[in-house]
Amino acid sequence: MIPKKKKRHLTLLEVLIALLIVSMALPILISSFVFTYSEQEKFLDEVILDRLANTVFVSLFEDLLANRISYKDLEAERETALSEAQMGLGSKNFEGTFSFKKLKPEKPDKSSNYFVELWRANLNFKRKKSEKVRPFSFDFLVIRDLTAQNAPKESNAEEEKEKK
Amino acid sequence: MKKKIRHFTLLEILIALSLSLIISGVLLFYYFQMSRVANLSEQATVRAFELRTLQNRLQNITLSFVKPNNRSTFFFQGSTPPGLFLSGTNTLIFSYDNGIVFDEALSNQVLGRLFVDPEKNLTLLTWVAREKWEAHVIPRFHREVLLKNVEKFSMQFLATNEEDASKAYLDLIFNQWIDHWRKEYQRLPALIRYKVQQIGQKEEIFAFPIIGPQTKVIYKS
């Protein structure tokens, strides 16, 4: 009688090694999907921020046209956080700051009462809880007309005449 | 003597079955999650592209507006008779610089109209300039669909104080958004907002400054 060959079963060690290999391969498979998704999210952020920056600039420009942002505030050139109202629907995922910078002329002509200046609005946005900042900038003209302010007052001229 | 083969017990089979069920359940859950996220992400990308394209087109048009004189150049909100336009939406008639395009007649200064047609397409219709219209001849035009499935479309304007303006214009409240822009103003606003809402989506706002003497920041102190 030929003795039947005994079947060799898998050992626990072999099963564990197999499991380990599978669990090592899974993250690689998943990571490619996660990478694609995160890249797509970054791209979407770019598209959304581009539109948000435009809307926020128009809102700031509206305040500039109405002189709700004073010339002193412009000159201060300080970075200010954008309010939720200014951010609109973008405030849900993003936060931002704005600042102004005078580009030209660097040194104004002090003998004149009428200035045309080139300014830049700098907007910086970032996703909440993220450090990566996406900057935007918009240029605009400012006219400073100090003719009326610096003109000699008529009443003063009359008083001087009377004194004489 | 033949050796007795040991079969699986019912308990072993049950354990094996429940383990494979758990594993396939987890895998299926992740699969559906991933496909759902991929689906949503694709929808968001398509929508973002649509809105980006619309923004670019509106920006190009807005930056090319030509100051109206009501003879050859125009800028006003027209009426929207039912049948030609989607009811409850606004329309804007304006002259703009179309640049150089393939059709020579539609190059440079042309007449445009933004509106929503009854099929809910936000449309830009471009005609040849008004002074080139010939009597009894339908003027050449180009139709461009900017966005589909639009159920609401309106505009807001912001006017600034200007010298030598018409009486109708000077009666406006300056530096505040208004909903209507009349032909009699004979001026371009300083800022414009387009409000667009697609079916089942939230309202989107596109705002732009309009190039011209009305869009200057003046400080007198």
Side-chain angles (χ1 to χ4, degrees):
Chain A
M1 198 177 97
I2 304 158
K4 203 179 175 185
K5 200 181 175 185
K6 201 185 171 187
K7 258 190 179 175
R8 189 185 162 273
H9 294 282
L10 295 173
T11 64
L12 180 63
L13 185 69
E14 285 167 334
V15 173
L16 285 175
I17 289 168
L19 269 173
L20 186 75
I21 293 167
V22 170
S23 57
M24 277 164 72
L26 270 177
I28 296 166
L29 286 173
I30 292 170
S31 70
S32 66
F33 175 80
V34 173
F35 177 75
T36 313
Y37 178 69
S38 65
E39 283 301 304
Q40 203 168 9
E41 199 178 27
K42 277 182 203 166
F43 172 73
L44 274 181
D45 276 1
E46 279 288 308
V47 175
I48 293 165
L49 279 179
D50 189 46
R51 200 148 61 82
L52 181 65
N54 210 61
T55 313
V56 169
F57 172 67
V58 170
S59 157
L60 287 173
F61 200 64
E62 185 189 334
D63 289 340
L64 287 164
L65 285 170
N67 286 177
R68 284 192 286 268
I69 295 173
S70 69
Y71 190 79
K72 272 188 181 174
D73 288 339
L74 272 184
E75 271 184 317
E77 295 188 2
R78 62 171 168 264
E79 196 165 8
T80 312
L82 286 160
S83 66
E84 275 195 20
Q86 283 169 317
M87 290 285 287
L89 291 168
S91 66
K92 199 177 159 190
N93 299 321
F94 302 98
E95 50 194 16
T97 60
F98 71 92
S99 63
F100 298 104
K101 186 166 178 56
K102 186 157 82 173
L103 301 179
K104 279 178 186 173
E106 286 169 10
K107 288 179 184 172
D109 175 13
K110 288 187 178 175
S111 61
S112 175
N113 284 325
Y114 195 89
F115 310 98
V116 180
E117 300 170 344
L118 179 64
W119 284 77
R120 176 167 288 171
N122 293 308
L123 303 176
N124 290 315
F125 294 100
K126 61 174 188 161
R127 194 169 253 281
K128 281 180 180 170
K129 292 173 189 171
S130 164
E131 290 305 309
K132 200 186 167 197
V133 175
R134 174 73 172 89
F136 291 88
S137 63
F138 300 86
D139 294 351
F140 57 96
L141 285 175
V142 169
I143 293 169
R144 275 194 89 195
D145 184 3
L146 306 179
T147 325
Q149 190 184 305
N150 294 341
K153 288 178 183 171
E154 280 182 23
S155 56
N156 287 354
E158 280 170 13
E159 277 173 21
E160 279 174 18
K161 270 184 184 178
E162 280 172 15
K163 277 179 188 175
K164 280 178 183 175
Chain B
M1 196 184 138
K2 201 177 175 183
K3 199 183 172 186
K4 200 184 171 188
I5 299 167
R6 187 187 164 272
H7 292 285
F8 290 116
T9 64
L10 180 64
L11 186 69
E12 285 169 333
I13 291 171
L14 282 175
I15 290 169
L17 267 174
S18 51
L19 274 174
S20 20
L21 272 176
I22 290 168
I23 293 167
S24 52
V26 170
L27 284 174
L28 269 175
F29 172 76
Y30 276 108
Y31 172 75
F32 283 119
Q33 281 290 329
M34 281 180 177
S35 65
R36 195 175 72 90
V37 168
N39 235 340
L40 286 174
S41 162
E42 195 181 326
Q43 279 176 19
T45 310
V46 169
R47 187 164 157 72
F49 262 114
E50 279 179 353
L51 295 177
R52 173 69 178 261
T53 312
L54 177 63
Q55 181 189 342
N56 282 351
R57 196 70 187 99
L58 289 175
Q59 190 166 19
N60 286 344
I61 298 163
T62 306
L63 292 176
S64 316
F65 282 156
V66 177
K67 193 185 169 189
N69 59 19
N70 285 353
R71 291 185 303 279
S72 55
T73 56
F74 304 89
F75 185 91
F76 64 97
Q77 274 173 299
S79 57
T80 51
L84 292 171
F85 307 98
L86 187 70
S87 63
T89 56
N90 281 337
T91 177
L92 185 70
I93 297 163
F94 51 89
S95 298
Y96 75 104
D97 187 347
N98 200 23
I100 296 166
V101 293
F102 187 71
D103 188 344
E104 196 186 334
L106 293 170
S107 292
N108 302 319
Q109 195 173 295
V110 288
L111 189 64
R113 183 168 195 152
L114 265 177
F115 64 97
V116 183
D117 68 15
E119 283 77 44
K120 299 184 176 173
N121 297 314
L122 176 60
T123 308
L124 169 67
L125 211 59
T126 303
W127 290 279
V128 294
R130 182 69 182 83
E131 67 263 27
K132 291 180 190 167
W133 288 20
E134 291 168 32
H136 313 298
V137 179
I138 298 170
R140 277 256 278 290
F141 67 89
H142 173 74
R143 185 173 176 269
E144 190 181 339
V145 173
L146 304 182
L147 193 68
K148 290 179 177 177
N149 299 321
V150 176
E151 60 176 354
K152 285 182 186 170
F153 176 61
S154 60
M155 285 143 271
Q156 281 191 311
F157 311 90
L158 189 132
T160 51
N161 196 356
E162 277 196 88
E163 291 166 5
D164 306 325
S166 65
K167 191 187 174 301
Y169 184 86
L170 292 171
D171 285 342
L172 280 172
I173 304 167
F174 298 122
N175 296 316
Q176 272 189 30
W177 290 100
I178 52 172
D179 294 330
H180 298 285
W181 197 265
R182 288 162 47 200
K183 203 173 178 179
E184 299 85 74
Y185 298 158
Q186 290 192 36
R187 281 283 189 286
L188 287 173
L191 305 174
I192 187 166
R193 265 184 194 156
Y194 302 95
K195 295 180 172 183
V196 185
Q197 189 169 359
Q198 282 180 291
I199 298 164
Q201 301 284 357
K202 62 179 174 25
E203 183 182 73
E204 301 287 342
I205 298 175
F206 302 87
F208 308 100
I210 297 173
I211 293 173
Q214 76 285 357
T215 315
K216 58 193 174 202
V217 182
I218 304 171
Y219 287 101
K220 292 200 169 179
S221 59

